[in-house]
Amino acid sequence: MRKVLVLHTGGTISMVQEESGVTLSQQHPLAETMTIIPEFIDITSEEIFNLPSPHITPENMLMLKQRIQLAFEEGFDGVVITHGTDTLEETAYFLDLTINESIAVVLTGAMRSSNEIGSDGVYNFVQAVITAANEKTKEQGVVVVMNDEIHAARFVTKTHTTSVDTFRTPTFGPIGILSKHEVYYLKEVVDHQIKNIQTTNGRVILLKAYAGMDTYLFEKLADDDIDGLVIEALGAGNLPPTVVPSLKKVIDKGIPVALVSRCSNGIAQDIYDYPGGGVELKKMGVNFVKGLSGQKARLRLLVGLNAGLSGNSLKDFLVN
């Protein structure tokens, strides 16, 4: 018998469609699904909170981390988290960065509420439970299971506002698939540093670069009380030259700056040696984070700061 803890957090998977819009259900739509879970899996369910995913904060993510660590001590083989899809990838990545216990952690959700035609919530939930019960899943880090695909938390992202196959892994693809309730892993997950933080303090700002960007936002940040800055830069990792002097003011204040590409595929690199190009930015002290989206790089910087990292140790955590 495999023991799986299910933690419900809210989101579309727990909602129903009404005339006024999609709203929270009086009875959780997954309450009647236990009869279709394979008999070799013993389910324990808890509602840890009930929030639409835009309401989720790092503090909520920390609550999940702490409950998962307790679940490991209680002898559970895996944990399934049902979650709204808007910030699901961020919660998944936060947990991937902060949980070192040998326990399977699977996040899933739904793009269609329980009473819509083609609702995907029950199906995704059952597949997620089966994945969490699989012995190999605990070796994969935190994963996201949607639409018969298994994605690594580090790279998965929501790519479509409403489609059921919205969760994709640009550049790298899924690490596994499900077929007829069987789990097949196709790739190895790259090891990365894990930080067992107990707080989520600090203000880390995320900016997106654009053509004609001026100094306004960077000047404000240089004068403000922030703990870190993440920039979604142009192309391989470049910025309009007008913002460079103001960005240098931010760096000179000792504020760590991480840079990713705003492109959905590829990685940020210091390739171009012109004003505002990646070569100049790296020489200034900007940290190039490879393969992450802006929202995930922000969480990585926040986790690093709460782990007490600074200087070269923080740089190593960000870029490797």
Side-chain angles (χ1 to χ4, degrees), residues 233 237-244 259 272-281 284:
N238 312 298
L239 292 173
T242 50
V243 307
V244 172
L259 181 145
Y272 291 99
D273 192 6
Y274 51 64
V279 172
E280 179 184 26
L281 297 177
M284 287 171 53

Side-chain angles (χ1 to χ4, degrees), residues 86-152:
D86 285 352
T87 59
L88 185 150
E89 66 195 79
E90 290 168 81
T91 296
Y93 186 55
F94 178 91
L95 297 175
D96 195 48
L97 284 172
T98 59
I99 293 175
N100 200 29
E101 283 73 14
S102 182
I103 186 171
V105 180
V106 181
L107 280 83
T108 193
M111 295 303 294
R112 296 171 182 163
S113 53
S114 61
N115 58 338
E116 287 186 87
I117 295 174
S119 173
D120 55 332
V122 171
Y123 186 82
N124 285 338
F125 174 68
V126 173
Q127 297 293 69
V129 169
I130 290 168
T131 303
N134 187 279
E135 179 66 28
K136 294 182 179 179
T137 299
K138 67 181 181 182
E139 303 167 5
Q140 312 303 320
V142 176
V143 299
V144 173
V145 170
M146 296 277 287
N147 204 40
D148 279 337
E149 292 184 339
I150 306 170
H151 295 268

Side-chain angles (χ1 to χ4, degrees), residues 65-100:
K65 166 195 175 290
Q66 293 165 342
R67 182 63 187 95
I68 292 167
Q69 290 175 319
L70 180 59
F72 173 74
E73 296 173 5
E74 292 170 340
F76 284 96
D77 299 294
V79 176
V80 169
I81 300 169
T82 65
H83 198 289
T85 58
D86 285 352
T87 59
L88 185 150
E89 66 195 79
E90 290 168 81
T91 296
Y93 186 55
F94 178 91
L95 297 175
D96 195 48
L97 284 172
T98 59
I99 293 175
N100 200 29

